[in-house]
Amino acid sequence: MRFGATIVGIMWVVIGPRAAWAQCVPEWSGFDPPFSTYSLTVWDRDGFGPERPMLIGARSLPYPPTPQGIQVGRYDGRAWRPLGLPFAGPAGSAIMRALSVSTTSGVGSPAPGLYAGGRFDEAGGEPAGNIAHWNGLRWREVGAGAVGHTYSLFMFDEDGAGPGEANLFVGGIFFEVAGIDKPGLVRWDGSGYSAVGGGLLGFYFGDMPNVKAMIEFDEDGPGPRGSALYAAGSFAYADGIRVNSIARWDGSNWEAMGNGLGSGVNALAVFDADGPGPGPPMLYAGGGFITRDPAGNWLRTLARWNG
């Protein structure tokens, strides 16, 4: 009897905490003041070094500014801490909308580190036109900046397995970027900005294109096409091709995706709905669009591309 009781006791010690965890009620918990958060990413500053990866958040700073307002900060598991000095924008406020991490060498490519985009004209006490780079010690402007409002950032390697490294693609509503008029999307290669193909156009004269979301996706899997950059937002044309707010960039050419999605795509994600099943991953788009597919079916706010 004593031996059996001992076994039961050991089983409770081993199994008890796991069972207790399984019985917990799933719920969200807050750990920050209730200011708007627009983007999250994970950044491992020293790669394979001893430092732990950090959760980075980009947020809006309420107006008037408050001492606890952090536009770009890191979370260490206990508290949020700011990355460098604050950002400032029109009337002292700033909106941080996008984050991207670069692990490139910085030789013919963007410098490694964290990139932040939004609406601001000063980063950490230094001039910065809506795009800034954090090298682990301080913020600095990326090129001559952009006149407008950055909505999305994404690192994409246009030549795949070729010798070139990834570049930073910058999307948003821009009056001008490095002399490029109303581009909607530009490429930063570490030394200058350039247009992406023949560029984007809005839906009507004077309308500025806006790229709000980007993602890399290989729509035919093991097929010959390879990965491409998918850009979405609010724009009618890409390099003269009617695309209706979403288009595929293969590193050399823009391509339409069916009839597109009308206007107002805010988010993109790649998801494999059947997991290890036979179905391939697919591209999902979400936003405020309402349009019809070629069969006449309505597509409202959320759609899936089958490749």
Side-chain angles (χ1 to χ4, degrees):
M1 292 296 294
R2 182 178 298 275
F3 177 77
T6 302
I7 293 295
V8 171
I10 293 174
M11 289 177 65
W12 167 248
V13 170
V14 174
I15 299 174
R18 184 179 296 275
W21 171 261
Q23 294 172 6
C24 288
V25 178
E27 61 182 358
W28 290 96
S29 60
F31 50 87
D32 206 19
F35 306 145
S36 295
T37 299
Y38 288 102
S39 184
L40 292 170
T41 192
V42 175
W43 181 35
D44 189 350
R45 182 169 58 180
D46 64 346
F48 294 103
E51 290 189 19
R52 295 174 57 186
M54 298 179 286
L55 176 65
I56 308 295
R59 306 160 44 196
S60 67
L61 180 66
Y63 185 81
T66 58
Q68 65 267 36
I70 300 173
Q71 298 112 326
V72 179
R74 60 183 177 87
Y75 183 65
D76 61 7
R78 296 180 298 275
W80 284 97
R81 305 179 190 279
L83 280 183
L85 298 173
F87 288 65
S93 63
I95 297 177
M96 313 305 298
R97 288 196 178 272
L99 296 168
S100 186
V101 173
S102 171
T103 58
T104 52
S105 66
V107 179
S109 61
L114 177 72
Y115 289 84
R119 189 187 66 191
F120 52 87
D121 50 30
E122 184 179 297
E126 300 292 331
N130 303 305
I131 310 168
H133 170 245
W134 174 258
N135 62 6
L137 298 174
R138 64 184 181 89
W139 289 104
R140 65 179 182 86
E141 188 173 37
V142 178
V147 181
H149 193 147
T150 301
Y151 275 83
S152 57
L153 299 171
F154 195 83
M155 294 292 299
F156 176 63
D157 189 348
E158 293 174 281
D159 70 347
E165 294 186 272
N167 289 320
L168 178 68
F169 285 72
V170 181
I173 298 177
F174 304 122
F175 292 95
E176 178 266 333
V177 181
I180 307 169
D181 185 53
K182 303 180 181 66
L185 180 67
V186 292
R187 174 198 302 105
W188 171 254
D189 64 7
S191 59
Y193 289 102
S194 57
V196 181
L200 309 177
L201 291 175
F203 284 93
Y204 53 84
F205 180 77
D207 180 30
M208 291 190 293
N210 183 9
V211 171
K212 289 187 174 182
M214 290 179 276
I215 199 167
E216 184 174 354
F217 178 49
D218 186 350
E219 64 183 18
D220 68 344
R225 284 168 65 81
S227 291
L229 178 70
Y230 292 75
S234 179
F235 50 91
Y237 296 90
D239 200 10
I241 303 168
R242 186 80 184 198
V243 295
N244 290 328
S245 296
I246 185 165
R248 178 182 185 272
W249 172 252
D250 65 5
S252 301
N253 300 288
W254 283 108
E255 181 181 321
M257 300 173 65
N259 293 331
L261 292 172
S263 178
V265 182
N266 298 329
L268 297 172
V270 174
F271 176 61
D272 189 346
D274 68 347
M282 292 187 182
L283 177 66
Y284 290 73
F289 53 84
I290 300 177
T291 189
R292 288 183 184 270
D293 66 13
N297 302 309
W298 285 105
L299 304 176
R300 294 184 175 91
T301 72
L302 186 62
R304 178 177 58 205
W305 174 249
N306 63 13

